[in-house]
Each structure stands twice: as structure tokens, then as C-alpha cells.
């Protein structure tokens, strides 16, 4: 979805033990696995379920196929909720963030439905806010995963800009929600935000998938607190650009318009979003490395130290972390 001018103003296993030293050597690279390049064809809907949707393009909604437990999607007419591009406090006709037209642009599913934006200053922001109906995230649980589909397609120097995402009621976000920073090392703090790793500066789509249990695990360097049991009547998801290289644009304030209409003349920092939702994994992957013991799988890595999805493993050898250590597992 490309926003128009009116919307711009709104805003079977064999096991053997592996040394803990080997696991330690791959820990750093494993953390960066929160962000991965989107697979061909987009998100894996076959092995996932129980979606709480904040924003999903048409192809994603079709892929969820009856597995949505709470639909808070951005409706086409924006009567239920809206995406706002914020204006400046000192000039309410001027936008901090504006839409980038891409006539032939595609989302991670190969379709044209996504959000596209660039800041007109070094920060800029916007987000999703309630309009005719409050947000209901009461179905979000600790065993879910937060998913954000994103693409860095700007022309600035690689990795300069940091993307700040807030998930939860804006007015109470400091005590009730998640404040995440892309292009900040995973688990490291930057003020109120905590890094989740880097996204490629290559115009490709990437998926940020981070378990809610990680977000609320103090020992995991996040330690957020959330309680989404009550309806949310303000912003539920916001975006802020940090250390951005502002794009330049010509603009005009048309008769009767509340904000200026912009035409980008030089694109610098730019970000796309094609999905924001919570979901669960189907339990059809590795759950226990030995049925005679209670070794619950905490994480799975390939031999390069990259964390793998538990429900989509190909044939090969993997390193499986449990409370009793790390084991080598062969999937046939």
C-alpha cells in the first residue's frame, strides 16, 4: 500500500555432546539471528499460527488463512486506525516523514502492498494510532514471537541510520511495551532502547523475529515488561529514525490542504515495512533431544553458529542447546 496525499497528513535424531567452548564461540553470531533476509516467497505461514496482526499486506492475510486470533490490521479506508506521518511542532503543515513513491516497488511477497517512508530531517517519525476503534493486543502471550518485515532502501552510507520501534501504548511505553533499535548490537542498550542487530543496507527485505520471552528476560539483556490486557486508544506502534541522512524534496501547500505535498528530489535514508504481527510456531520441529529425558530445546544453531527456526529444519547437522548443555543433532 502506497499512501496518498490525504493519508500523508495522518498519521529421528542421533546425539553426541558438544563442548560448551564451541557454543561460547558462536554465541555472538547467534544473537544477530533476530534479523534474517526474507526467504523467497516471503514469510513461512505453513508452520506458524495464532496471529495477532497490527499490519499485514494482502498476501500475508491470505497466507494466515484463518489462523488470525486478533485482527488489528490497518484497514484500507483508515476508519478503524491510521498510519500517521508526524508534523513538526513549530510548523504543523510540514512533515517530519513522508511517503516515497515506488511505481514498480515490491514487498517481500512480490506484491505492491507495503509502507514506504523517508525522513525530512535527521530523526522524523510516525506510527499506527487508534481512530474509530481501540487496539486490542490482549491475545499476545509470552510464547509468541514479534515479527517486523523491513527493508533499508536508502542511498546514504551503509549502517548509519538506526531505526527505533516502539510496540505498546505510547503514553506508557516506558513501563508497558518494547523499545527496539535496529542497527544496534543485539542486547545492548541505547537509552530506553535495546538493540536487536543489523539489517542489510542492500535494498533487500529482511525479517525481524524476536521471541516475547527474550524481550521480557532480564538475564537476556532486554528485561521489558508488558501488559496488553487493556484496550489501547493511542499509538500502538511507532517508528523514529536516529542519525538519519535527511532526504530533500520540493513541496507545495495546496489550497485547503492541512500539510504540504512532497516530491523527493534526493533520496537518502529510507525504510519500508511490510508486516507487523505476533505469532506462534507450530510444534513440529525439535522439541526434545531425547524422549527419555526432559531436555527442552532452548535454541538450535547450524555449524556456522547461525540460529535456526525450530520448525523448518532441512537435512543436516545442528547444534542444539538445552539446560544440560549443547548437543550435536543429525536431522535425516
Amino acid at each position: 500500500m502506497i499512501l496518498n496525499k490525504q493519508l500523508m497528513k495522518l498519521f529421528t535424531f542421533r546425539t553426541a555432546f558438544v563442548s560448551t567452548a564451541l557454543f561460547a564461540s558462536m554465541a555472538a553470531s547467534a544473537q544477530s539471528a533476530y534479523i534474517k533476509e526474507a526467504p523467497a516467497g516471503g514469510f513461512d505461514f505453513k508452520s506458524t499460527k495464532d496471529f495477532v496482526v497490527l499490519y499485514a499486506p494482502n498476501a500475508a492475510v491470505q497466507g494466515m488463512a484463518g489462523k488470525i486470533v486478533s485482527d488489528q490490521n490497518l484497514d484500507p479506508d483508515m476508519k478503524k486506525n491510521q498510519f500517521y506521518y508526524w508534523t513538526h511542532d513549530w510548523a504543523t503543515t510540514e512533515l517530519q516523514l513522508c511517503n516515497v513513491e515506488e511505481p514498480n516497488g515490491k514487498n517481500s511477497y512480490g506484491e505492491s502492498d507495503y509502507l514506504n517512508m523517508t525522513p525530512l530531517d535527521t530523526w522524523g517519525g510516525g506510527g499506527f494510532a487508534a481512530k474509530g476503534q481501540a487496539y486490542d493486543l490482549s491475545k499476545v502471550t509470552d510464547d509468541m514471537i514479534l515479527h517486523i518485515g523491513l527493508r533499508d532502501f536508502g542511498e546514504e552510507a551503509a549502517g548509519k541510520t538506526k531505526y527505533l520501534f516502539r510496540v505498546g501504548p505510547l503514553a506508557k511505553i516506558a513501563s508497558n511495551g518494547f523499545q527496539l533499535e535496529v542497527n544496534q548490537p543485539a542486547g545492548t542498550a541505547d537509552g530506553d532502547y535495546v538493540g536487536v542487530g543489523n539489517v542489510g543496507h542492500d535494498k533487500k527485505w529482511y525479517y525481524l523475529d524476536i521471541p516475547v520471552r527474550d524481550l521480557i528476560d532480564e538475564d537476556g539483556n532486554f528485561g521489558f515488561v508488558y501488559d496488553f490486557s487493556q484496550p489501547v486508544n493511542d499509538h500502538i506502534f511507532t517508528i523514529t529514525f536516529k542519525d538519519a541522512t535527511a532526504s530533500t524534496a520540493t513541496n507545495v501547500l495546496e489550497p485547503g490542504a492541512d500539510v504540504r505535498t512532497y516530491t523527493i528530489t534526493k533520496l537518502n535514508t529510507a525504510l519500508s515495512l511490510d508486516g507487523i504481527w505476533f505469532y506462534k510456531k507450530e510444534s513440529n520441529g525439535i522439541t526434545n533431544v531425547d524422549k527419555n529425558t526432559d531436555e527442552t530445546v532452548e535454541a538450535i544453531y547450524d555449524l556456522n553458529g547461525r540460529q535456526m527456526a525450530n520448525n523448518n529444519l532441512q537435512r543436516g547437522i545442528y547444534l542444539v542447546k538445552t539446560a544440560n548443555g549443547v548437543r550435536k543433532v543429525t536431522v535425516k
Side-chain angles (χ1 to χ4, degrees):
M1 172 177 61
I2 302 298
L3 301 187
N4 61 30
K5 292 185 292 184
Q6 288 182 321
L7 301 182
M8 287 172 64
K9 68 183 180 181
L10 306 172
F11 284 167
T12 314
F13 305 116
R14 296 179 307 187
T15 65
F17 279 107
V18 179
S19 71
T20 55
L22 175 58
F23 177 75
S25 69
M26 66 187 189
S29 61
Q31 276 283 12
S32 63
Y34 289 134
I35 300 177
K36 295 182 179 180
E37 184 175 338
F43 186 84
D44 176 18
F45 293 104
K46 293 183 179 180
S47 57
T48 49
K49 63 180 182 178
D50 296 352
F51 293 91
V52 176
V53 181
L54 286 176
Y55 170 59
N58 292 331
V61 174
Q62 293 171 6
M64 293 172 187
K67 297 190 286 187
I68 298 175
V69 297
S70 182
D71 186 3
Q72 316 296 309
N73 203 4
L74 187 67
D75 55 300
D77 297 326
M78 296 200 183
K79 293 181 179 179
K80 181 177 66 175
N81 50 23
Q82 297 175 334
F83 180 78
Y84 288 84
Y85 285 156
W86 295 344
T87 60
H88 291 285
D89 293 339
W90 61 87
T92 57
T93 64
E94 296 182 8
L95 296 173
Q96 300 175 6
L97 191 69
C98 76
N99 180 52
V100 180
E101 296 286 351
E102 275 192 301
N104 299 313
K106 302 294 183 182
N107 60 24
S108 63
Y109 308 94
E111 298 184 351
S112 59
D113 189 6
Y114 60 101
L115 301 175
N116 232 19
M117 62 201 79
T118 187
L120 299 176
D121 50 38
T122 58
W123 42 291
F128 294 83
K131 186 183 178 184
Q133 179 178 318
Y135 284 99
D136 180 6
L137 299 188
S138 61
K139 299 293 186 180
V140 174
T141 58
D142 293 359
D143 55 348
M144 285 185 166
I145 298 171
L146 170 62
H147 168 87
I148 301 174
L150 67 162
R151 177 186 66 141
D152 179 335
F153 69 104
E155 302 298 336
E156 64 168 352
K160 179 180 182 298
T161 300
K162 297 180 179 181
Y163 304 111
L164 311 180
F165 298 138
R166 289 179 286 193
V167 187
L170 183 58
K172 298 180 179 180
I173 193 65
S175 60
N176 186 19
F178 317 129
Q179 300 188 80
L180 312 178
E181 184 168 333
V182 176
N183 292 337
Q184 174 78 3
T188 62
D190 183 11
D192 293 330
Y193 293 85
V194 181
V196 292
N198 298 328
V199 66
H201 183 68
D202 51 14
K203 299 180 173 61
K204 296 180 180 180
W205 283 96
Y206 287 79
Y207 289 163
L208 165 60
D209 289 274
I210 183 167
V212 173
R213 290 192 189 279
D214 285 10
L215 292 171
I216 62 176
D217 179 11
E218 294 183 1
D219 294 332
N221 298 321
F222 290 93
F224 292 113
V225 176
Y226 79 99
D227 178 359
F228 296 156
S229 60
Q230 299 301 312
V232 178
N233 289 292
D234 66 349
H235 289 75
I236 193 66
F237 181 91
T238 61
I239 308 155
T240 305
F241 292 71
K242 180 180 179 182
D243 301 327
T245 301
S247 293
T248 57
T250 58
N251 66 81
V252 60
L253 184 60
E254 297 179 346
D258 295 328
V259 298
R260 297 179 181 274
T261 299
Y262 293 84
T263 300
I264 303 299
T265 56
K266 180 176 175 50
L267 183 68
N268 286 310
T269 296
L271 178 71
S272 303
L273 297 174
D274 79 342
I276 307 166
W277 58 73
F278 293 86
Y279 71 96
K280 294 180 182 179
K281 292 184 178 180
E282 293 279 9
S283 57
N284 59 352
I286 298 174
T287 55
N288 294 88
V289 297
D290 189 336
K291 293 182 179 180
N292 296 319
T293 64
D294 184 18
E295 291 186 275
T296 301
V297 172
E298 297 178 359
I300 302 173
Y301 306 92
D302 65 15
L303 296 182
N304 292 318
R306 294 173 298 190
Q307 189 168 0
M308 310 299 291
N310 187 16
N311 51 26
N312 193 28
L313 297 178
Q314 305 299 314
R315 294 169 59 183
I317 299 174
Y318 298 92
L319 304 178
V320 178
K321 179 188 177 187
T322 71
N324 293 328
V326 178
R327 293 190 179 192
K328 182 183 294 183
V329 173
T330 301
V331 178
K332 294 183 177 182

